[in-house]
Amino acid sequence: MLPVWAKITPKTPSDVYAEAMILKAEVGYLRKKAGIDKPFPKIEVIPNKYPRHVIQKALEILDKINRYRLIHGYGAIAIPPYPSREITPQDVYEFVKRDRGEVRLFIEDRAFLASLKRRKFVGKRPSDVYGLLWSISLGFDDLLGIKGYTPNDVYALSEKIVKISNFLRQSQNLYDHPSKPKIDRQLYPNHALEASRRFLTKVAEGERNLWIEPADVPAVPHRVISATEVYDALQYDIAELQRIKYRLGLERYFQVQKPHRLRSFNDVVANLAYATALMPDFGVDRPLVQYPTQSLKKRPSQVYAVTLVVIDKLDRLKAIRGIKDRIQIPPYIEGLQPMHVYQKGIEAIEKALRLKEKMGFYPSYVPTSPFREVTPTEVYELIVRLDMIVTMLLNRAGDKSVKPYIYMLDRPEVYGKKPSDVYHNVWKITRMLDLISGSSYTPNETYAIAKLLQGKVTLLARQIGAEGVLKTPLRRVSGKTPKDVFHEVLKLHRAINRLQKRANLHVTDVRIPQESKITPNSVYNALRLNNADLNRLLIELGIDAESLLRDRPRFYGKTPDDVYALVERLYKEMEGFFQPANYRPVSSDRKVMQP
């Protein structure tokens, strides 16, 4: 096996803190541009916060970014649901990265963005990250022209708590409903926070009976409480409810609906008292209805089911727009893995977001592939986000009857599907998006993905001491067609497979098919497959190439000649890894690891 100097380790709270600090600087730039000179609100570190609580804060910031877009007429973005699994710092990191990606789109000052440097932190805890994200969230309020959350916001969250509590009650076959209390006196945020504390006490009792560590129930401070603090407490409650759903092996999502009339804290307290009565205690003296938590891990068949719904929605969009033309069904590729499907899913989201821009929305952040093994669950979450975007397109086109997949109860049942089946459907989706938008990839986009591969090859060469391959010259060519480029990409794919075998990686027999008509789209698709395979090699060798995905440049005026020349050099560099002259000598003063 090729020498490995390090492994890519999962993100820690310190890594998340570092990412959040850059987010704070970016939000600070927006505040300064808006004439807001005061510092971010200070938040004391609150103990006993865990990743499941921190991710709620990252989602809260994303929700405020969405509000900011709506205020400025930019159009909404897709906000993912709380993941149905045990939340890790890696999950929180991905959500904060999403926050950053969306905020950076509002910043045109390239010099400022280039000046942002990632600091290294050690010893940070989830509570530290929570406090930092809460400060950023409060700092965003000034950009929205609000002073924290309103009673209506808090009420909407309390309604969600009622729905989840009732769902958990019915999951234990308890269908009797206690009466909802009536409040006949004026109540305030302090009363709502106390009602939240009583509800959380009931939740913690249930957690104890489920043999999981009970939630920490904080005391209500003896001071005036704000609506924002109540909102924060309810988010904490929801995080614990999500944890209980996971413990029971259940998954069900509920939308937060805006109230149709002004609500007061009387309504909030009534809801929380009702939720407390509904919430089962999962007593040990009664049978427990539960399912394997493994059942919450997604399988390719479940991802395939989402793609069926997306295809149906795109057919509806075609009908609304009067498009009668049909796509050419793409060829089927055997042996693909979740990482390949993830790459195709990114392409589909990128094309959906481009169509979204054409329909009057401001640009949105395009996700990137993580540098670790990709699971079917992560592919599922990516395609769910794609479904949300397509749902927005339908809503914008006038069809308000459709809702996101995660809120549908009549989902298609699918069995026996493989990653290759999912990939095939996602490929259909990308072609449908091309048809509806009336555009497709050009040599500019294929050149960009080839440049990304070039960056990864550079990292690989430096890691294993083969810098000599980077001296391969770029040959000028002319008269090349997309078909010529495609054949060069096939050669590159075989070369990457050869490196994978050298690294003792299992190589699936993936054969990139050649269609009768080769277009820049064909080249782009083949390069995406190459990108997935090269990622797998880098991950095996412990090379984290995430830095290459930040601020990727756009290219203009590129031709098939430019793409061909770059791919040809990539191929020659790959072959160069098998030439001893390209490796630097082993230094005699190289430090030796001690046992």
Side-chain angles (χ1 to χ4, degrees), residues 351-402:
K351 290 186 173 183
L353 291 176
R354 287 187 177 197
L355 177 56
K356 194 164 169 258
E357 286 181 50
K358 288 187 175 184
M359 295 176 70
F361 289 81
Y362 193 77
S364 300
Y365 171 70
V366 179
T368 57
S369 185
F371 275 87
R372 61 180 186 279
E373 285 296 325
V374 174
T375 66
T377 296
E378 289 171 306
V379 178
Y380 175 87
E381 290 169 356
L382 186 76
I383 304 304
V384 160
R385 180 176 167 190
L386 172 63
D387 169 76
M388 289 181 164
I389 298 167
V390 172
T391 303
M392 287 181 179
L393 298 179
L394 263 177
N395 292 160
R396 172 58 68 93
D399 188 346
K400 308 290 186 182
S401 64
V402 293

Side-chain angles (χ1 to χ4, degrees), residues 492-501 507-508 510 533:
L492 176 63
H493 187 249
R494 290 192 290 270
I496 293 174
N497 284 348
R498 190 180 174 199
L499 258 68
Q500 288 180 315
K501 290 175 182 176
V507 180
T508 55
V510 175
D533 285 334

Side-chain angles (χ1 to χ4, degrees), residues 151-392:
N152 265 25
D153 297 322
V154 181
Y155 176 82
L157 218 52
S158 72
E159 279 282 288
K160 186 173 182 178
I161 287 176
V162 168
K163 290 178 180 179
I164 299 174
S165 300
N166 188 50
F167 167 73
L168 291 173
R169 183 180 187 83
Q170 293 182 358
S171 78
Q172 302 306 302
N173 294 321
L174 301 172
Y175 284 90
D176 58 313
H177 283 81
S179 57
K180 190 171 183 178
K182 293 182 179 180
I183 307 296
D184 55 4
R185 63 190 179 94
Q186 183 65 44
L187 300 180
Y188 300 95
N190 288 61
H191 300 102
L193 192 61
E194 172 60 28
S196 171
R197 188 195 66 79
R198 287 195 294 268
F199 175 73
L200 187 59
T201 301
K202 182 78 174 285
V203 169
E205 180 184 347
E207 289 175 326
R208 181 202 63 197
N209 291 338
L210 290 170
W211 299 347
I212 56 179
E213 183 180 0
D216 180 60
V217 183
V220 177
H222 293 288
R223 55 176 172 78
V224 176
I225 301 298
S226 68
T228 295
E229 289 175 287
V230 181
Y231 191 93
D232 180 72
L234 298 195
Q235 283 192 316
Y236 185 98
D237 296 344
I238 289 174
E240 296 303 318
L241 292 175
Q242 300 286 5
R243 185 177 176 222
I244 288 176
K245 284 197 293 181
Y246 176 76
R247 163 64 180 81
L248 297 173
L250 299 171
E251 180 182 272
R252 175 87 185 276
Y253 292 106
F254 299 93
Q255 286 181 284
V256 176
Q257 303 288 352
K258 290 184 178 180
H260 296 298
R261 59 182 177 86
L262 285 178
R263 295 290 184 168
S264 68
F265 281 101
N266 289 36
D267 302 306
V268 174
V269 172
N271 264 355
L272 291 175
Y274 185 46
T276 304
L278 285 170
M279 184 69 193
D281 60 10
F282 304 103
V284 295
D285 57 338
R286 290 193 302 274
L288 180 65
V289 181
Q290 58 185 331
Y291 305 89
T293 55
Q294 281 289 111
S295 66
L296 298 178
K297 288 186 176 180
K298 306 306 179 193
R299 300 177 298 280
S301 293
Q302 290 166 293
V303 188
Y304 189 89
V306 187
T307 65
L308 290 177
V309 172
V310 173
I311 289 172
D312 179 65
K313 288 179 179 179
L314 288 174
D315 276 331
R316 291 168 70 102
L317 186 56
K318 274 181 60 185
I320 289 172
R321 296 177 67 142
I323 299 171
K324 301 303 179 184
D325 196 8
R326 295 184 178 184
I327 63 165
Q328 180 182 350
I329 301 299
Y332 187 90
I333 305 177
E334 288 281 3
L336 296 176
Q337 301 299 317
M339 186 171 282
H340 299 107
V341 186
Y342 201 95
Q343 287 285 333
K344 200 65 180 171
I346 292 173
E347 179 188 333
I349 285 180
E350 184 177 43
K351 290 186 173 183
L353 291 176
R354 287 187 177 197
L355 177 56
K356 194 164 169 258
E357 286 181 50
K358 288 187 175 184
M359 295 176 70
F361 289 81
Y362 193 77
S364 300
Y365 171 70
V366 179
T368 57
S369 185
F371 275 87
R372 61 180 186 279
E373 285 296 325
V374 174
T375 66
T377 296
E378 289 171 306
V379 178
Y380 175 87
E381 290 169 356
L382 186 76
I383 304 304
V384 160
R385 180 176 167 190
L386 172 63
D387 169 76
M388 289 181 164
I389 298 167
V390 172
T391 303
M392 287 181 179

